[in-house]
Amino acid sequence: MSSAAADERLADVGRLRRLLIRPELGAVVGAVVVFAFFAGQSEVFRSVAGIANWLDPAATLGIMAVAIALLMIGGEFDLSAGVLTGTTGLVLVTLATRFGLNVWLAMLVGLAVALAVGFANGLIVTRTRLPSFIVTLGTFLMLQGLNLGVTKALTGTVQVAGLRRAEGYESARAVFGGTIGDSGFRVAILWWVLATVVATWVLMRSRAGNWIFAVGGNEQAARAVGVPAARTKIALFMTTAFAAWLVGSILALRYTSVQASSGIGQEFIYIIAAVIGGCLLTGGYGSAIGASIGAVIFGMADKGIVFLGWDADWFKFFLGAMLLLATLANRLVRRYAEEVKR
């Protein structure tokens, strides 16, 4: 009996079953369907220029979606992630244009601000045991007020501009906000790919990845076996803050100006991309690759609707429909995965 039980536990579930329980499977199918639909309707959409066009919004969204996916797998949310991209952009442009700092130094200050916000979010969540939804909602409101109040106090408007004239702008833009040669593809795509590769390696090949899945699946059980749950969650919030700094810097260097309202509302788009990519709202399940594919679906829909000449309001309908379908698909995949493990 014992040998039979052991054989059953060690039995290979088969390649097909392993494929079916992958969290990003639904996103892959969805991406293929969305691409086929828009490519069949628009020749521009499937051209090289069209692909570069819809990969652009997918890249910046993808960087954030990957970080949010890690946080969601760890069982937490960050509603301040969107407005933090605006905060870091404002810090960069303000310091470079109003106080004469080199762009690179201004970016480092922005990074320090972002990491401090992420650390504070993680520390409050782990120390007080308050839901991260409430903690980061409070952070969201405070940052929104700071962005608007400080910007108006310094400029008299709700915008900071003039980054192009700052020292170090050209070199920083080439690294973060430019294009890849003359291809028309943005450098942000490379940062997105790098973020996805690193996050996937962390989740699948490192001890930290095991900790993330453990604290997201059952925090108490994880603590019982020695997982540093608090440290892991703080690191995840700081990772999200780092991604917000990267995206905020990319956009500021690209457009050379930042609105005080930048990033507000984007946090829901990040979460939607992660959910479409296979992340569960309950934590403990998901993948960085899936979140990136969710961002690709977003980019294709965002630009595909424009290419077809449809009213842009249909995009919100599409997002809502994709969210519902992805949530249902994730639930079915999760049930199947649990049955396979038994």
Side-chain angles (χ1 to χ4, degrees):
M1 288 292 291
S2 60
S3 61
D7 291 341
E8 183 178 353
R9 287 195 301 268
L10 296 173
D12 186 357
V13 297
R15 291 184 179 181
L16 179 59
R17 283 192 173 185
R18 286 200 299 271
L19 176 64
L20 291 175
I21 63 176
R22 292 296 304 168
E24 61 270 10
L25 175 62
V28 171
V29 174
V32 171
V33 171
V34 172
F35 177 83
F37 174 78
F38 285 114
Q41 301 291 321
S42 170
E43 184 177 344
V44 177
F45 179 87
R46 62 179 183 266
S47 67
V48 174
I51 293 172
N53 198 284
W54 51 257
L55 279 181
D56 181 23
T60 49
L61 170 60
I63 293 169
M64 286 303 306
V66 165
I68 290 295
L70 294 179
L71 185 62
M72 289 180 65
I73 294 169
E76 304 294 347
F77 291 93
D78 189 350
L79 296 183
S80 66
V83 71
L84 187 55
T85 64
T87 300
T88 55
L90 287 169
V91 170
L92 164 58
V93 181
T94 300
L95 292 179
T97 60
R98 296 283 164 170
F99 297 93
L101 266 67
N102 183 283
V103 169
W104 289 97
L105 181 57
M107 287 179 64
L108 286 177
V109 176
L111 175 59
V113 170
L115 293 178
V117 172
F119 178 80
N121 280 338
L123 188 65
I124 294 172
V125 168
T126 55
R127 289 291 179 86
T128 66
R129 305 292 180 142
L130 287 172
S132 56
F133 178 90
I134 298 298
V135 173
T136 57
L137 178 59
T139 305
F140 163 83
L141 294 172
M142 288 189 289
L143 289 177
Q144 183 180 9
L146 277 173
N147 290 356
L148 184 60
V150 173
T151 303
K152 290 181 72 174
L154 290 175
T155 68
T157 67
V158 295
Q159 182 187 51
V160 184
L163 185 61
R164 191 181 301 275
R165 298 187 297 272
E167 181 183 356
Y169 166 75
E170 292 297 337
S171 58
R173 186 180 188 276
V175 175
F176 293 97
T179 57
I180 306 171
D182 298 324
S183 64
F185 290 87
R186 293 281 186 176
V187 174
I189 296 172
L190 299 180
W191 287 106
W192 171 33
V193 172
L194 178 62
T196 305
V197 170
V198 171
T200 300
W201 181 86
V202 168
L203 282 176
M204 307 306 296
R205 300 294 182 182
S206 73
R207 179 182 298 179
N210 293 333
W211 291 347
I212 293 169
F213 281 109
V215 298
N218 189 325
E219 183 176 349
Q220 296 304 319
R223 289 179 184 273
V225 296
V227 173
R231 193 168 61 191
T232 299
K233 292 197 174 189
I234 291 173
L236 288 173
F237 278 106
M238 293 181 72
T239 299
T240 301
F242 177 86
W245 165 79
L246 179 57
V247 170
S249 298
I250 288 171
L251 296 178
L253 289 164
R254 181 183 301 179
Y255 300 119
T256 71
S257 65
V258 181
Q259 294 280 344
S261 59
S262 294
I264 295 175
Q266 289 295 109
E267 58 280 345
F268 295 108
I269 305 297
Y270 306 151
I271 293 172
I272 289 171
V275 171
I276 290 174
C279 290
L280 294 179
L281 298 176
T282 52
Y285 188 78
S287 79
I289 294 175
S292 281
I293 297 173
V296 171
I297 293 174
F298 171 93
M300 289 192 293
D302 184 33
K303 298 303 180 182
I305 287 173
V306 174
F307 290 154
L308 294 185
W310 293 359
D311 191 312
D313 291 338
W314 283 105
F315 177 66
K316 297 296 183 182
F317 173 85
F318 175 86
L319 275 185
M322 286 300 299
L323 176 62
L324 288 175
L325 290 173
T327 303
L328 290 172
N330 292 347
R331 186 177 181 182
L332 292 173
V333 170
R334 183 62 173 170
R335 283 183 177 178
Y336 183 79
E338 290 173 350
E339 290 177 359
V340 169
K341 289 178 181 179
R342 292 194 184 112

